[in-house]
């Protein structure tokens, strides 16, 4: 299979078959994200997608499929149902189909459409919260109201989809750190259910730096990067403030993180906070910077 590069997938999809339904991202305006800056958004033809599924169908043991690129949910629901149905027919051992889901995607789909997608096999969506602070979301050019994020996440939950959400530590820099973390913890706590929650650490590529900094300057805010101690303090505040309505599997094992954590909230809150306290006191246990990557 000749993929249209660059190709991205969540770490948890390492053993999944990757099927490119779209190329690029339909929004592609977030100031911190360089993933699809070289691509123009395109929905592939149904005939081409079906042909690629046929080519993949020699692998009869496929159990998981990830629909790439940035947001397959931007596609028409009937179009996606065709793909999901054909995947089920082509891979008899298929157990899970997953996709990225932008805040805009989930709001645009009706509850009935999301229910239909789940009935046809879309069982997990990866959702970038980034921050729960509305002003900060404007700064990074992702101007979604936090209440609307909660609404979209809840719609996926009501459709019986699992939700894997991510938050970016350090996104507000030193000056907006407290607002960023407090509002993000509030957003997470207001959701009916998030199955998996991960934190990443901010990384801005050289191609995005100018735009990223300018957007803060335009709001009369100087952006100052957080250091490792600042990030650990953010992580500590975040974990301490989350009061989920149901258990959340928490991870910070992405390569960008200075400290890998895992546990279930709220059950493991005290243990996670204790580990963070030790890391704040002893920076030698952190992942070396040359081993980190976004």
């Amino acid at each position: 299979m000749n993929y249209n590069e660059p190709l991205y997938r969540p770490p948890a999809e390492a053993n999944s078959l990757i099927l490119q339904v779209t190329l690029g991202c339909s929004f592609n305006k977030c100031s911190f994200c360089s993933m699809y800056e070289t691509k123009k958004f395109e929905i592939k033809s149904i005939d081409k997608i079906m042909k690629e599924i046929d080519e993949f169908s020699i692998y009869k043991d496929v159990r998981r499929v990830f629909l790439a690129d940035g947001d397959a949910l931007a596609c028409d629901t009937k179009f996606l149902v065709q793909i999901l149905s054909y995947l089920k027919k082509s891979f008899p051992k298929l157990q899970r189909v997953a996709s990225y889901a932008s805040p805009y995607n989930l709001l645009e789909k009706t509850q009935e459409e999301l229910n239909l997608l789940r009935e046809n096999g879309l069982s997990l969506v990866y959702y970038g919260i980034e921050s729960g602070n509305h002003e900060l979301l404007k700064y990074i050019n992702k101007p979604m109201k936090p209440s609307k994020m909660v609404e979209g996440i809840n719609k996926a939950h009501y459709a019986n989809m699992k939700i894997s959400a991510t938050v970016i530590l350090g996104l507000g820099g030193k000056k907006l750190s407290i607002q960023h973390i407090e509002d993000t913890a509030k957003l997470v706590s207001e959701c009916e259910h998030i199955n998996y929650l991960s934190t990443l650490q901010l990384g801005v590529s050289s191609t995005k730096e100018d735009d990223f900094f300018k957007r803060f300057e335009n709001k009369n805010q100087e952006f100052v990067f957080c250091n490792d101690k600042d990030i650990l303090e953010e992580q500590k505040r975040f974990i301490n403030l989350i009061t989920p309505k149901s258990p959340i599997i928490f991870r910070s094992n992405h390569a960008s993180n200075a400290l890998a954590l895992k546990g279930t909230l709220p059950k493991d809150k005290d243990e996670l906070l204790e580990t963070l306290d030790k890391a704040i006191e002893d920076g030698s246990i952190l992942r070396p910077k040359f081993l980190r990557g976004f």
Side-chain angles (χ1 to χ4, degrees), residues 75-87:
C75 299
D76 180 78
T77 298
K78 290 182 180 179
F79 180 87
L80 288 171
V81 168
Q82 281 184 271
I83 295 168
L84 292 167
S85 299
Y86 201 59
L87 284 170

Side-chain angles (χ1 to χ4, degrees), residues 23-215:
L23 304 181
C25 170
S26 64
F27 185 67
N28 207 25
K29 296 176 184 176
C30 299
S31 66
F32 64 90
C33 181
S34 60
M35 285 173 64
Y36 301 111
E37 62 182 347
T38 61
K39 289 187 175 185
K40 182 179 179 181
F41 181 71
E42 176 187 337
I43 297 174
K44 292 167 67 174
S45 72
I46 192 67
D47 290 341
K48 189 170 185 178
I49 294 169
M50 296 303 190
K51 182 179 178 182
E52 290 176 356
I53 293 174
D54 287 338
E55 292 173 4
F56 281 128
S57 65
I58 61 171
Y59 303 107
K60 296 300 182 184
D61 290 333
V62 168
R63 286 177 167 79
R64 294 183 175 185
V65 173
F66 179 73
L67 305 180
D69 271 338
D71 53 343
L73 280 183
C75 299
D76 180 78
T77 298
K78 290 182 180 179
F79 180 87
L80 288 171
V81 168
Q82 281 184 271
I83 295 168
L84 292 167
S85 299
Y86 201 59
L87 284 170
K88 191 183 301 183
K89 176 182 177 182
S90 302
F91 302 108
K93 295 183 181 181
L94 186 63
Q95 297 174 348
R96 186 178 88 184
V97 181
S99 168
Y100 286 127
S102 80
Y104 308 97
N105 295 154
L106 290 185
L107 287 175
E108 288 169 0
K109 298 290 187 193
T110 66
Q111 187 65 60
E112 291 71 26
E113 286 178 303
L114 291 175
N115 293 347
L116 183 62
L117 291 172
R118 178 63 187 91
E119 289 167 10
N120 282 275
L122 184 64
S123 55
L124 171 65
V125 291
Y126 293 91
Y127 187 99
I129 292 174
E130 327 309 4
S131 177
N133 181 268
H134 193 202
E135 288 304 308
L136 180 53
L137 289 167
K138 292 178 185 177
Y139 291 2
I140 63 171
N141 204 28
K142 192 172 183 175
M144 175 63 64
K145 289 183 179 180
S147 60
K148 289 296 183 182
M149 286 199 190
V150 173
E151 180 184 335
I153 289 171
N154 285 347
K155 282 171 69 176
H157 167 66
Y158 295 144
N160 199 31
M161 292 179 181
K162 290 186 176 180
I163 300 111
S164 180
T166 55
V167 167
I168 302 179
L169 299 175
L171 188 60
K174 288 177 178 284
K175 294 191 174 183
L176 296 176
S177 176
I178 292 176
Q179 300 96 308
H180 167 45
I181 293 304
E182 289 185 351
D183 289 343
T184 307
K186 180 182 177 184
L187 187 156
V188 170
S189 300
E190 288 178 352
C191 293
E192 287 300 323
H193 188 49
I194 292 175
N195 301 82
Y196 310 101
L197 178 65
S198 302
T199 52
L200 317 177
Q201 286 185 211
L202 177 67
V204 183
S205 71
S206 59
T207 60
K208 302 294 288 188
E209 282 182 350
D210 287 347
D211 183 46
F212 183 81
F213 293 131
K214 277 182 182 178
R215 291 185 178 280

